[in-house]
Amino acid sequence: MRKKIVAGNWKMNNTLSEGVQLAKDVNKILTEKAPNCTVILGTPFIHLADVVRSVDNKLIKVSAENCADKEKGAYTGEVSAAMVKSTGAEYVILGHSERRAYYGETDAILKEKVDLALANNLKVIFCIGEVLEQREAGKQNEVVKAQVENALFHLSAEQFANIVLAYEPVWAIGTGKTATSAQAQEIHAFIRGVLAAKYGKQVADDTTILYGGSCKASNAKELFAQPDVDGGLIGGASLKAPDFYGIIEAFN
Ligand code: 13P
């Protein structure tokens, strides 16, 4: 059975003390009301080690939001997968549309990052999704298929067990405009089919596929009720503990 996951992506928000407080707030709520899913906090690099120490590892896993495409060395300002792993974080988000759009991350660069993350025993939350223009042209399926193929299909089935996919239509991110549950289900089922064609039904059935894009407590239940939507990757609504818990609760 594939994992149900609710993962926060704080993006570039929160000072160190604010982030640690938020993690403690989420931890406190989950201590009182146990989650029915895996809960992950995706934080900026500087928060990782402190957040890992501030939460109960049985209740909350910690993720970076990025890692370098190089192993180590003279790459000023970069943070390697090994460094992320050394903080106690277990996951890394790769391929977020903001990284692709603002920092020029191509499928080829992402492939390198995925390989380094897996080599360092991190699990990868790999983001895919089309922009509005592509959706309007009916090209969303071919866009996400190419993103998956180009960055991930060199992996073995065994390696693929460490990949979580996050379908995040770019037009839904931070816009308040969520994909309908029918739109989400349709493309999640398509993505699972792409995985099945490459790796077989078992791998496809075992792969968690998250939805992201203006997901909040008021729409999470309906989205997560879709058979191929296994949880969410949450931006804005992960920045306040009660809002984030409202989404986690959708699985109760
Ligand atoms: P919002 O939930 O703010 O739309 O962001 C989604 C996202 O980009 C998560 O990675």
Side-chain angles (χ1 to χ4, degrees), residues 8-196:
N9 174 8
W10 292 357
K11 307 190 178 182
M12 195 173 75
N13 291 294
N14 292 321
T15 62
L16 180 57
S17 60
E18 288 166 349
V20 167
Q21 189 57 53
L22 173 56
K24 285 182 179 168
D25 291 347
V26 174
N27 192 71
K28 182 165 188 293
I29 297 175
L30 298 183
T31 304
E32 289 156 9
K33 301 180 247 188
N36 253 337
C37 61
T38 298
V39 175
I40 302 172
L41 296 179
T43 86
F45 293 127
I46 64 136
H47 298 73
L48 290 173
D50 283 350
V51 167
V52 166
R53 280 192 289 267
S54 304
V55 300
D56 177 350
N57 171 262
K58 286 188 287 302
L59 291 173
I60 296 176
K61 309 295 180 193
V62 180
S63 175
E65 299 174 11
N66 184 26
C67 72
D69 61 341
K70 304 285 192 300
E71 194 179 341
K72 65 189 293 192
Y75 301 101
T76 301
E78 288 295 297
V79 175
S80 71
M83 292 173 189
V84 169
K85 180 70 182 179
S86 73
T87 66
E90 292 174 55
Y91 288 82
V92 58
I93 297 168
L94 293 176
H96 193 281
S97 63
E98 288 150 16
R99 301 291 323 165
R100 294 177 191 260
Y102 308 147
Y103 301 98
E105 295 197 2
T106 61
D107 291 341
I109 292 171
L110 292 170
K111 184 169 178 252
E112 299 299 322
K113 294 189 177 200
V114 166
D115 286 344
L116 286 163
L118 296 182
N120 284 282
N121 295 317
L122 290 166
K123 295 187 178 71
V124 173
I125 301 173
F126 192 79
C127 304
I128 55 177
E130 80 287 355
V131 299
L132 184 60
E133 223 174 35
Q134 293 164 328
R135 164 74 54 172
E136 284 174 347
K139 294 198 166 133
Q140 63 274 15
N141 286 3
E142 66 183 83
V143 169
V144 297
K145 182 169 187 266
Q147 289 171 332
V148 169
E149 283 174 351
N150 294 342
L152 300 176
F153 271 12
H154 63 293
L155 300 175
S156 67
E158 196 181 30
Q159 288 176 308
F160 210 87
N162 294 306
I163 304 289
V164 171
L165 288 177
Y167 168 66
E168 301 205 301
V170 180
W171 46 269
I173 295 177
T175 59
K177 192 174 183 321
T178 319
T180 64
S181 52
Q183 283 173 321
Q185 170 54 26
E186 187 184 13
I187 195 157
H188 280 228
F190 169 78
I191 295 162
R192 206 177 298 287
V194 169
L195 301 184

